[in-house]
Amino acid sequence: MAGHTQPINPLPGVSAAVLVAALILGTLFMVALRAEAGGGFGPADWSALRFTLLQATLSALLSAGLAIPVARALARRRFPGRRALIALLGAPFILPVIVAILGLLHVFGRAGWVSEALGILGLPPIQIYGLHGVVLAHVFFNLPLATRLILQGWQEIPAERFRLAAQLGCEGLAMFRLIELPMLRRILPGVLAVIFAICLTSFAVALTLGGGPRATTIELAIYQAFTYDFDLGRAALLSALQLVLTATAALAALRFSQGEGFGTGLNRAIRRWDGGTPVLDAFWIIAAAAFLLLPLASVTISGIAGLFEMPALVFRAAVISIFVAAASTVVLLLLALPMATAIATGRYGIVELGGLLGLAASPLVIGTGLFILIRPLANPTTLALPVTALVNAIMALPFALRILVPAARDTLERHGRLALSLNMNNWSFFLRVMLPRLRPQIGFSAGLTAALSMGDLGVIALFADAQIATLPLQIYRLMGAYQMQAAAGGALLLLILSMGVFWILDRGGRWHVEA
């Protein structure tokens, strides 16, 4: 609604944005102050920087490169289960990282299914630890994301373009060169930048599959500086470097995501006359589905037996994870709802900027600043769970705003003037109009936040002691103690909890629609 007077009080949203900005910028300021006391970069730090850039580059190139034929096959083919497969491509985004890693170990590890098959053929097993293991895990997480983004680019091409190309006799390479290649030139830079930014801040993957002097990322080096050396100055200096990298990658992702499209059409269903080779398309679709499903299947199969071998600490950690996820969800909604309504007025772009700050700072960097800030006042380990819940909420805030703002803007445009004519006050409009209209988006945002928080293995690794652990951290400890069967049981439990809480909250937001 463009009018000056609106039935929304922007002050709560502005206040929430100020709090978020103060938290992020304040912790970064503490990191910068502490970094001045550092002694500079050593050889290990420069090695971590090189490895971080190398693995992020390789992960982005492989994820996007493999996603092109998969997305093209999905765009050209119609088959039973296609919608379900496309929906499945969104699952790795909320899949707990530690669960996926355990599944990858079962499939591609030294004693995994693929290595056993290679052994039958007389070939050596796969070495999953190190650079190739980190890249493999990142491709597992980001191949679905890249496929969805590139597939969206294919679906945005107007049907009239393909119809005209067919009338002109364009097939095969000519069709690809005239229509599909220009789309890829527009879409791919943004896809590469987004995946590169994601891989820069990947901590759990490097912690479990990396390690060693030649396979350490910057985030892992920050963690090691805390846990092994307790060198806060070096950790802060590395955090400042991480901030520069993530901010640069985030800006590049936003910059490359913009571009001219193909224009609009008549919204007709796309029909493709360039069928190509069905066998080749089927190969890419089946290979991608198997790559995603086999690790999940392995976690399920091995986890069923492991459920009966889990120690009591796993169940205690599961309860802690549920409370942390619930706290993160509450904090997220308290911040996101007023910020989304303030952004919807169209006059407070600074609020949206405050919400997007989470994209530029990694959770480990924020955790570093909070540790430095809390340590002179209290024992940071006593605040491990509240800090973890808070940081998880801040990290989910940009995604929640992307979900909530369009619906809030539409609600304000449709019902704002009527509310003013009825003299509805701000609170009444928010409760009676805005919240009911945003219920599906609120449920989806809450489910996404809870699932991401449930599976997070980041800040808790900095703050937790031997007595405090979330379920992902406890699974990691079991893996470190070579209790792989119990770890598999814990991974299955985590998978059930994460997917379950997402389904409950998401469906809870849509129950009135589906009834």
Side-chain angles (χ1 to χ4, degrees):
M1 185 178 176
H4 179 72
T5 303
Q6 303 189 40
I8 285 293
N9 183 5
L11 183 59
V14 174
S15 301
V18 170
L19 288 176
V20 172
L23 173 65
I24 296 177
L25 297 179
T27 54
L28 299 180
F29 178 70
M30 294 302 298
V31 165
L33 288 181
R34 191 74 188 201
E36 294 177 359
F41 290 122
D45 300 324
W46 289 113
S47 176
L49 173 60
R50 288 192 295 270
F51 181 81
T52 299
L53 297 175
L54 176 62
Q55 61 85 17
T57 302
L58 291 176
S59 299
L61 291 174
L62 285 174
S63 298
L66 293 174
I68 292 174
V70 177
R72 190 170 191 242
L74 289 172
R76 295 199 298 184
R77 304 298 168 190
R78 297 295 183 269
F79 54 89
R82 178 178 179 273
R83 289 177 178 265
L85 178 59
I86 293 175
L88 179 66
L89 294 177
F93 187 74
I94 62 173
L95 183 68
V97 177
I98 196 70
V99 173
I101 290 172
L102 198 59
L104 290 172
L105 287 173
H106 287 157
V107 176
F108 298 100
R110 188 175 183 84
W113 298 349
V114 175
S115 293
E116 290 180 356
L118 292 176
I120 296 175
L121 300 175
L123 299 175
I126 296 177
Q127 300 294 332
I128 196 172
Y129 294 99
L131 174 63
H132 37 292
V134 172
V135 172
L136 175 68
H138 283 161
V139 171
F140 174 83
F141 283 108
N142 295 303
L143 173 61
L145 173 62
T147 302
R148 288 288 295 267
L149 293 174
I150 297 174
L151 178 61
Q152 182 178 353
W154 249 292
Q155 293 173 337
E156 289 176 354
I157 301 175
E160 290 75 17
R161 295 294 183 99
F162 292 108
R163 183 184 299 273
L164 177 60
Q167 292 174 345
L168 295 176
C170 295
E171 294 183 359
L173 290 177
M175 176 78 76
F176 180 80
R177 179 174 57 85
L178 294 174
I179 295 181
E180 296 174 322
L181 186 58
M183 180 275 295
L184 291 175
R185 286 173 178 169
R186 180 176 62 89
I187 294 291
L188 273 181
V191 173
L192 290 170
V194 167
I195 297 176
F196 183 82
I198 293 173
C199 294
L200 281 180
T201 57
S202 175
F203 170 69
V205 171
L207 180 65
T208 52
L209 297 179
R214 293 184 297 178
T216 298
T217 61
I218 294 176
E219 292 233 339
L220 186 55
I222 296 171
Y223 171 74
Q224 292 170 346
F226 261 102
T227 55
Y228 301 138
D229 305 325
F230 201 67
D231 188 347
L232 295 181
R234 176 168 170 261
L237 193 62
L238 289 168
S239 298
L241 175 61
Q242 178 74 342
L243 171 64
V244 173
L245 291 177
T246 53
T248 302
L251 290 175
L254 292 175
R255 169 65 178 84
F256 289 128
S257 296
Q258 302 172 356
E260 296 295 330
F262 284 88
T264 59
L266 299 177
N267 294 325
R268 293 172 175 169
I270 296 178
R271 182 181 175 187
R272 299 289 297 268
W273 287 269
D274 58 324
T277 307
V279 175
L280 186 60
D281 287 344
F283 166 78
W284 284 111
I285 293 172
I286 294 173
F291 182 59
L292 295 176
L293 293 177
L294 283 178
L296 296 180
S298 69
V299 169
T300 303
I301 294 171
S302 60
I304 292 175
L307 287 174
F308 302 97
E309 299 186 18
M310 294 187 302
L313 288 175
V314 173
F315 296 99
R316 181 173 181 268
V319 174
I320 292 175
S321 289
I322 292 173
F323 279 106
V324 170
S328 295
T329 304
V330 171
V331 172
L332 181 278
L333 293 179
L334 290 176
L335 294 172
L337 284 174
M339 291 176 66
T341 54
I343 295 169
T345 64
R347 295 188 287 117
Y348 294 92
I350 191 69
V351 176
E352 187 170 13
L353 180 61
L356 294 177
L357 282 176
L359 293 176
S362 75
L364 220 59
V365 173
I366 297 177
T368 302
L370 288 174
F371 190 97
I372 296 172
L373 186 64
I374 294 172
R375 188 166 178 263
L377 306 175
N379 183 2
T381 58
T382 62
L383 300 175
L385 300 181
V387 168
T388 300
L390 176 62
V391 175
N392 287 343
I394 296 299
M395 292 298 102
L397 182 59
F399 304 106
L401 290 178
R402 291 293 298 271
I403 297 168
L404 292 170
V405 168
R409 185 176 290 121
D410 181 68
T411 301
L412 194 59
E413 290 178 352
R414 287 174 179 265
H415 305 284
R417 289 185 175 87
L418 178 60
L420 289 174
S421 67
L422 296 175
N423 291 323
M424 293 183 69
N425 59 41
N426 302 143
W427 185 244
S428 179
F429 178 79
F430 181 77
L431 290 180
R432 294 177 178 271
V433 180
M434 188 67 74
L435 281 184
R437 292 285 176 175
L438 293 183
R439 188 180 297 167
Q441 290 77 20
I442 292 173
F444 183 57
S445 300
L448 183 65
T449 302
L452 292 176
S453 180
M454 186 79 67
D456 179 68
L457 177 60
V459 177
I460 189 65
L462 289 180
F463 285 79
D465 58 14
Q467 305 301 320
I468 300 177
T470 58
L471 188 51
L473 182 58
Q474 190 61 49
I475 294 171
Y476 171 71
R477 290 174 177 175
L478 289 173
M479 293 172 63
Y482 297 102
Q483 300 181 38
M484 300 304 293
Q485 197 69 28
L492 179 58
L493 177 61
L494 179 58
L495 179 62
I496 294 172
L497 290 175
S498 299
M499 296 300 180
V501 72
F502 174 79
W503 182 83
I504 291 172
L505 292 175
D506 181 40
R507 184 173 178 81
R510 294 181 287 108
W511 68 268
H512 62 297
V513 176
E514 299 178 351

